[in-house]
Amino acid sequence: MQLPIIQGVIARRLLVNYRVVPDVIARLLPAPFRPKLVDGMAIAGICLIRLEGVRPRHFPAMVAISSENAAHRIAVEWGEGTTAREGVFIPRRDSNSRANALLGGRLFPGEQHHARFTANDEAERLTLDIASDDGAVRVSLAGHPAETLPATSIFPSVAAASRFFELGALGYSATRAPGRFDGMALRSEGWQVAPFAIERVASSFFDDPLRFPPGMATLDCALIMRGIRHEWHGRGQLCAPESVGDEATLAAAR
């Protein structure tokens, strides 16, 4: 799969982050991935991103599109030969763009599901509701900009949290083929995040007691970024050892 370099603007990117008991999240990870830990805990969450002016590099603005998107993601590490790598594993992507849902995993990496997004984005408050067409994903949240991270956050500072998530720019997404993952890297100009206070959040993924028994996944913090020019670069496919992790891949993608 040869992906042209895609450019655009991150109008709004909200990272809603949970700290998770490592053994619990490890059950959702296919080989070769393992949880990346912070102070003994795994980090997972939902990336809620509005993209504007998205088009192949050097294409005119008239062909650009905008979309609302959600990616469930888990911070991971893995090895490629003798090289240690880190990034995120993405079991599920959703978009309000029919084109993204149709072409994801075909023309460009990352299979996507179509969903309805209802966003009310104001300077002092953001509300967002997501419902996927297949009924598998529902997210509802509200929040506002903040000065600091919650006192309960596992990250000691905004700078530490920013650095952690900046290193997760390389993502591998689950595909219909167990053990094969589409890779894509985000390159942004002027990476900058700010704390965001979550007033309420409901997630069909993280609130599922079969996936996360009570107390195993706890809301940690949220970060927001706005108005960042970016590019997406394809990174080909990563293939797991034969048949290892197939059930985990399928279970995580449901």
Side-chain angles (χ1 to χ4, degrees):
M1 182 185 301
Q2 185 64 39
L3 174 74
I5 295 173
I6 303 296
Q7 66 180 24
V9 175
I10 297 173
R12 178 233 312 134
R13 187 187 193 205
L14 178 64
L15 298 175
V16 181
N17 309 305
Y18 292 75
R19 55 183 183 272
V20 187
V21 173
D23 289 348
V24 173
I25 205 71
R27 293 199 292 266
L28 302 180
L29 289 175
F33 304 113
R34 60 184 181 273
K36 180 182 177 182
L37 305 184
V38 176
D39 198 18
M41 297 294 285
I43 303 296
I46 315 169
C47 173
L48 303 159
I49 186 168
R50 176 169 178 77
L51 300 174
E52 297 181 350
V54 176
R55 61 193 187 276
R57 185 196 279 178
H58 306 310
F59 273 47
M62 68 179 63
V63 304
I65 64 171
S66 300
S67 62
E68 293 275 3
N69 308 274
H72 287 74
R73 30 188 274 154
I74 302 167
V76 294
E77 299 174 325
W78 69 98
E80 292 182 9
T82 59
T83 303
R85 304 296 300 275
E86 62 182 289
V88 293
F89 171 65
I90 304 164
R92 171 88 184 200
R93 290 184 180 272
D94 292 271
S95 176
N96 72 344
S97 166
R98 295 280 183 186
N100 287 358
L102 176 64
L103 300 176
R106 296 179 174 87
L107 182 61
F108 55 83
E111 295 176 11
Q112 302 194 34
H113 301 79
H114 186 262
R116 297 178 302 282
F117 287 67
T118 303
N120 185 5
D121 190 356
E122 300 176 349
E124 297 303 320
R125 196 164 188 266
L126 167 66
T127 63
L128 184 61
D129 293 278
I130 305 168
S132 66
D133 292 357
D134 63 8
V137 168
R138 288 187 175 273
V139 177
S140 180
L141 66 84
H144 59 271
E147 295 296 325
T148 62
L149 297 177
T152 55
S153 175
I154 203 167
F155 296 101
S157 66
V158 175
S162 176
R163 180 61 176 164
F164 179 88
F165 291 104
E166 187 175 8
L167 291 174
L170 174 60
Y172 280 97
S173 302
T175 70
R176 295 180 181 87
R180 291 189 178 182
F181 314 107
D182 286 346
M184 191 157 54
L186 171 65
R187 294 184 182 176
S188 57
E189 297 180 10
W191 172 278
Q192 186 175 8
V193 301
F196 187 85
I198 297 292
E199 300 168 10
R200 60 169 176 82
V201 61
S203 161
S204 57
F205 186 83
F206 288 100
D207 297 341
D208 181 356
L210 297 180
R211 185 180 283 118
F212 299 106
M216 297 295 102
T218 304
L219 181 66
D220 184 88
C221 67
L223 300 167
I224 195 165
M225 58 194 306
R226 293 183 182 273
I228 306 294
R229 299 192 64 83
H230 75 287
E231 292 181 343
W232 297 104
H233 293 248
R235 286 295 179 262
Q237 287 191 330
L238 178 65
C239 296
E242 285 189 21
S243 76
V244 175
D246 290 0
E247 292 184 3
T249 303
L250 294 173
R254 290 192 182 107

